Amino acid sequence: MDIIYNKNSIYIKTDCFHLQKTFECGQCFRFNKNADGAYFGIAYGKALTLYQRPDGVELFGVTKAEFENTFFDYFDLGRDYDRINEILSRDPVLKDIIPYSRGIRILNQQPFETVVSFIISASNNIPRIKKIIAALCESFGENGAFPSPEVLAKCTTDDLSVIRAGFRDKYIIDCAKKVASGEIDLEKVKKMDYKNASAELQKINGVGKKVADCSLLFGFGFIDAFPKDVWIKRILQHFYGVADESTLDFYGYGGIAQQYLFYYAITTHLNDTIKEKEKQYAVQV
DNA sequence: CACCAGGCAAGCC
DNA sequence: GGCTTGCATGGT
């Protein structure tokens, strides 16, 4: 991978960074495709614009220093995905799926933003999650950035009603209060082992195992966290004949394997097929 | 075709 | 089982 610093942009030369796959595999909610094909979004308070090029990705909106300090890591550019893909290809199911899902990179998003975003994701769908988060940032963030725990900790559920988060509003406030007060230190959570980190996040109302796993994977660097929702359960059942991933070996890269499977399923509409089969089965029984 | 009722959606309490 | 909200769905 070569990084080329231009006057107004940064060029990441690699064939293993696919913007559409990375931004639309369900791990983040703040990037959207422009009319000209660019992806635009805000991360770490910076407005980013990215173009998919034939031999890589061109990034606008950040300085060299910001890239080196924050966004190199944000896009997980230090990780050798092709080496990991080789390892994961020992799994016969993933061997066939990796050529399809290759180019997804697991983002390292801001911890607070990640936890709140996945609190909002509970019993929800992606378009609506994006809508609620956009409203949250617009109403309470500075210049469209994700609002701070301090600002949200001062909000009442009445204040938050404008974002239409429904029953999740009180969970957002609980999270903000625990982080703002220092009761939960998200930077310390990053350094804990998986079990303690998960338990720590689950002290927040609205955070159960699934939301904790999503947060740990997409915002805390736990690459082996394996978020298991109803879709992944269906996918596991379909491909492996089991509903429990603990019997499977993803060689410490469970989170990457999970995203590969999930992306494959949603874009091939495999999940619709599986769901349809479930329905038919339910009718027969 | 417009409208409405009831179900349901990346879970958690 | 209840929770908010919004939306696709099927029935009228």
Side-chain angles (χ1 to χ4, degrees):
Chain A
M1 177 182 301
D2 284 325
I3 310 286
I4 298 157
Y5 297 95
N6 298 322
K7 195 167 190 292
N8 296 314
S9 73
I10 296 167
Y11 206 115
I12 303 147
K13 277 187 89 172
T14 171
D15 69 337
C16 199
F17 184 8
H18 196 277
L19 294 179
Q20 183 258 327
K21 294 180 189 178
T22 298
F23 290 132
E24 296 181 23
C25 68
Q27 63 173 322
C28 68
F29 305 102
R30 300 217 61 205
F31 280 85
N32 293 300
K33 206 172 193 172
N34 284 344
D36 67 348
Y39 278 88
F40 175 81
I42 298 178
Y44 285 88
K46 300 292 294 183
L48 312 182
T49 306
L50 301 102
Y51 288 84
Q52 190 77 55
R53 304 295 190 205
D55 55 351
V57 164
E58 190 168 10
L59 165 66
F60 291 82
V62 300
T63 64
K64 183 180 179 184
E66 287 164 345
F67 180 76
E68 287 174 344
N69 291 332
T70 305
F71 293 98
F72 181 86
D73 185 53
Y74 177 72
F75 292 112
D76 209 22
L77 297 175
R79 198 184 301 279
D80 185 349
Y81 278 76
D82 277 328
R83 187 183 65 81
I84 294 165
N85 291 344
E86 265 180 46
I87 295 168
L88 286 175
S89 291
R90 294 175 199 161
D91 179 288
V93 173
L94 287 176
K95 187 180 169 61
D96 292 337
I97 284 177
I98 283 170
Y100 189 88
S101 297
R102 180 173 178 270
I104 292 176
R105 306 192 79 89
I106 304 292
L107 298 173
N108 291 296
Q109 304 176 63
Q110 292 188 99
F112 179 67
E113 171 174 347
T114 312
V115 176
V116 172
S117 295
F118 283 96
I119 284 173
I120 293 168
S121 80
S123 189
N124 215 338
N125 55 63
I126 293 175
R128 189 160 164 246
I129 297 165
K130 290 175 88 165
K131 217 168 161 181
I132 293 170
I133 293 173
L136 181 68
C137 297
E138 215 170 290
S139 302
F140 301 99
E142 280 182 45
N143 301 320
F146 200 88
S148 68
E150 289 75 21
V151 166
L152 292 181
K154 288 177 191 154
C155 289
T156 63
T157 52
D158 219 35
D159 296 329
L160 281 189
S161 64
V162 293
I163 70 172
R164 317 303 285 167
F167 62 90
R168 307 165 189 88
D169 53 10
K170 54 186 178 292
Y171 300 150
I172 296 170
I173 293 168
D174 184 66
C175 178
K177 281 185 173 166
K178 283 176 177 155
V179 173
S181 71
E183 183 181 339
I184 293 179
D185 184 336
L186 298 181
E187 288 306 314
K188 277 187 187 164
V189 172
K190 272 188 180 177
K191 294 170 194 153
M192 293 177 181
D193 59 50
Y194 169 79
K195 203 178 161 191
N196 284 316
S198 180
E200 191 69 8
L201 291 185
Q202 288 184 55
K203 288 179 182 171
I204 299 164
N205 284 331
V207 179
K209 189 173 188 323
K210 194 270 176 179
V211 170
D213 277 332
C214 284
S215 305
L216 291 175
L217 177 58
F218 305 128
F220 293 76
F222 287 78
I223 204 68
D224 198 28
F226 194 97
K228 196 166 68 175
D229 51 47
V230 290
W231 294 112
I232 281 293
K233 283 179 199 165
R234 291 182 186 128
I235 293 164
L236 291 179
Q237 193 66 52
H238 176 80
F239 281 121
Y240 297 96
V242 297
D244 183 2
E245 82 287 357
S246 67
T247 60
L248 307 171
D249 190 358
F250 295 124
Y251 310 99
Y253 298 108
I256 295 177
Q258 191 267 10
Q259 282 309 99
Y260 284 170
L261 290 166
F262 191 77
Y263 176 79
Y264 177 83
I266 56 171
T267 54
T268 60
H269 301 286
L270 172 67
N271 48 8
D272 295 338
T273 312
I274 297 172
K275 200 179 169 188
E276 205 50 46
K277 277 185 188 168
E278 279 183 3
K279 271 189 190 169
Q280 287 169 14
Y281 181 72
V283 170
Q284 285 164 21
V285 175

